[in-house]
Amino acid sequence: MSNLLNEAAILAARRNLTEVSMDEVNDAIDRVLAGPEKKDRVMSEKRKTLVAYHEAGHALVGALMPDYDPVQKISIIPRGRAGGLTWFTPSEDRMDSGLYSRSYLQNQMAVALGGRIAEEIVFGEEEVTTGASNDLQQVARVARQW
């Protein structure tokens, strides 16, 4: 928590602010969880569109899954190794217990595949990108958990 608040304070100072607002806290959360924004990575309109559909696929599948975490935020800003990110907010019970049911893990795998499916539906099977391969790795990790 202190790391997060320190990061928010640094962002406020860089922005010549005298107070830390929720904007800085939210930006600090993104930075701490997903890495700094890749400002040097210029995205073409085609790539922005692809990443937007990919992330929307994750969000849509998550929203349709019964008993799944609600979507908190979607971003097509590249951070770390990701071209975009979709954040879900787990329930307090799930966070406190750290325990996941079989159905929740199945939902998590479906959500991970949502981006790949969106790419395939919109752009065609031949145009599915390597960004979707990271989702397959996540599915494999989740499958091993159970």
Side-chain angles (χ1 to χ4, degrees), residues 3-13 19-21 24-26 28:
N3 187 26
L4 175 68
L5 293 177
N6 284 339
E7 189 65 39
I10 290 167
L11 289 171
E19 295 180 347
V20 175
S21 73
E24 285 72 43
V25 172
N26 287 327

Side-chain angles (χ1 to χ4, degrees), residues 33-139:
L33 292 180
E37 184 178 330
K38 299 286 187 181
K39 294 184 184 216
D40 60 337
R41 192 187 303 174
V42 179
M43 289 176 57
S44 68
E45 286 304 311
K46 181 179 179 182
R47 181 171 171 80
K48 285 180 190 176
T49 301
L50 185 133
V51 171
Y53 275 110
H54 183 100
E55 296 307 323
H58 290 308
L60 183 59
V61 172
L64 294 172
M65 290 289 109
D67 188 36
Y68 196 70
D69 306 326
V71 174
Q72 178 187 346
K73 181 178 182 177
I74 303 169
S75 173
I76 64 166
I77 296 171
R79 292 183 176 278
R81 293 176 29 216
L85 295 162
T86 301
W87 282 271
F88 294 88
T89 306
S91 69
E92 284 188 37
D93 290 344
R94 211 177 329 268
M95 283 181 68
D96 289 344
S97 73
L99 301 174
Y100 304 100
S101 67
R102 178 183 180 130
S103 66
Y104 179 82
L105 293 174
Q106 287 173 328
N107 290 346
Q108 198 172 33
M109 290 189 292
V111 168
L113 293 172
R116 181 181 183 84
I117 296 302
E119 285 188 32
E120 190 173 319
I121 290 170
V122 175
F123 301 103
E125 192 174 321
E126 297 301 315
E127 297 299 317
V128 174
T129 66
T130 55
S133 69
N134 293 335
D135 297 332
L136 293 175
Q137 292 170 352
Q138 182 182 349
V139 169

